[in-house]
Amino acid sequence: MGKQRKRKNEEVEELDERVVDIARVAKVIKGGRRFAFRTTIVVGDNKGRIGIGIGKARAVPDSIRKASERARRNMVTVAVFNQTVPYEITARYGGAKVFLKPASPGTGILAGGGVRAVLEVAGVHNILSKSQGSSNTLNVAMATLEALKQLRSPEMIAEMRGKQVEDVLPFWERAARYQQRKTLDVVKQKQQDERKANKGKTAGEVVAEASGRRKESES
């Protein structure tokens, strides 16, 4: 029991937790109105797992605890690709509408409110977004989660469309991979030329030529 409790506490500490919204709500009863607090919390491991929880209680700490427990129980895995989303996507929840667009490294998270909190705990660091329709923080956060849940990985998209994975990547990823292949080809060609030039020579002659070239470059 002690080991299980310790393991559970370690898992709790690993998750990133953000309070998205705290709202005062009222319930009409026979004797009047009963006030309470509704807290929305989003949790994630910054690696693609995320969950949203809502808790209601007469006191704020109790509502936060309830929301945190529900968020951890409802965690799902979303397709995050190189700290951004694989492609553009739009999702709705209630009256809120959220548009997400992939961005190149260094762009940052161009979002605010509930959208930023959800993206940060999911592990997204470069993205463009637009929130349309209702500005309700809860609905905006839920719409963002719906958009992330609808995403598919590049490998899955390529398999569905019968294409290579590189053909469905964002253009900057394709350019980076092309440059990497080009650099590797240049290195391989240089190694082949050196092997051809050193063919038939003894080990001592090869070492002497290499040291001579090194001295020339240093001078």
Side-chain angles (χ1 to χ4, degrees):
M1 291 294 293
K3 291 184 178 179
Q4 291 180 355
R5 190 179 296 110
K6 184 177 180 181
R7 193 179 302 115
K8 186 178 293 185
N9 292 335
E10 290 177 354
E11 183 180 354
V12 168
E13 292 176 358
E14 291 177 357
L15 297 178
D16 186 5
E17 184 175 301
R18 308 285 179 90
V19 177
V20 177
D21 183 45
I22 298 179
R24 189 175 181 223
V25 296
K27 179 181 180 181
V28 179
I29 58 176
K30 185 177 180 180
R33 288 188 295 177
R34 178 179 294 172
F35 292 97
F37 292 94
R38 185 196 67 197
T39 302
T40 305
I41 284 183
V42 56
V43 298
D45 61 354
N46 297 316
K47 297 178 182 178
R49 291 181 64 240
I50 183 174
I52 291 181
I54 302 170
K56 289 182 182 180
R58 301 290 295 273
V60 173
D62 292 337
S63 66
I64 291 176
R65 176 181 53 80
K66 290 181 180 179
S68 178
E69 292 175 354
R70 288 171 182 167
R72 293 172 189 275
R73 286 199 304 265
N74 299 329
M75 292 188 71
V76 296
T77 302
V78 298
V80 176
F81 177 74
N82 285 357
Q83 299 184 344
T84 187
V85 293
Y87 50 87
E88 298 179 5
I89 191 165
T90 303
R92 293 176 178 270
Y93 188 90
K97 179 181 177 182
V98 172
F99 169 72
L100 303 178
K101 183 178 181 180
S104 58
T107 303
I109 300 178
L110 300 184
V115 179
R116 173 178 286 272
V118 173
L119 294 175
E120 284 180 347
V121 299
V124 177
H125 297 291
N126 303 290
I127 195 169
L128 306 174
S129 70
K130 181 68 175 177
S131 177
Q132 301 169 331
S134 172
S135 59
N136 181 281
T137 307
L138 173 58
N139 285 352
V140 169
M142 295 299 292
T144 307
L145 178 61
E146 286 297 321
L148 294 176
K149 288 166 64 176
Q150 294 175 19
L151 291 173
R152 298 292 180 267
S153 65
E155 292 78 10
M156 187 178 298
I157 295 296
E159 183 178 355
M160 291 169 56
R161 298 172 60 184
K163 293 188 175 183
Q164 297 293 329
V165 176
E166 293 185 2
D167 295 337
V168 299
L169 294 179
F171 67 89
W172 57 85
E173 286 291 340
R174 295 198 299 268
R177 296 196 179 193
Y178 172 77
Q179 187 64 34
Q180 186 178 11
R181 285 199 308 271
K182 192 175 180 181
T183 303
L184 290 175
D185 292 341
V186 170
V187 172
K188 288 181 181 178
Q189 186 63 39
K190 187 176 180 181
Q191 292 175 348
Q192 291 178 0
D193 294 342
E194 288 180 355
R195 283 196 294 268
K196 288 181 181 179
N198 296 332
K199 191 175 182 181
K201 296 181 181 179
T202 62
E205 293 174 346
V206 173
V207 172
E209 289 183 1
S211 60
R213 288 196 297 268
R214 191 179 303 110
K215 289 180 181 179
E216 290 179 359
S217 60
E218 291 177 355
S219 60

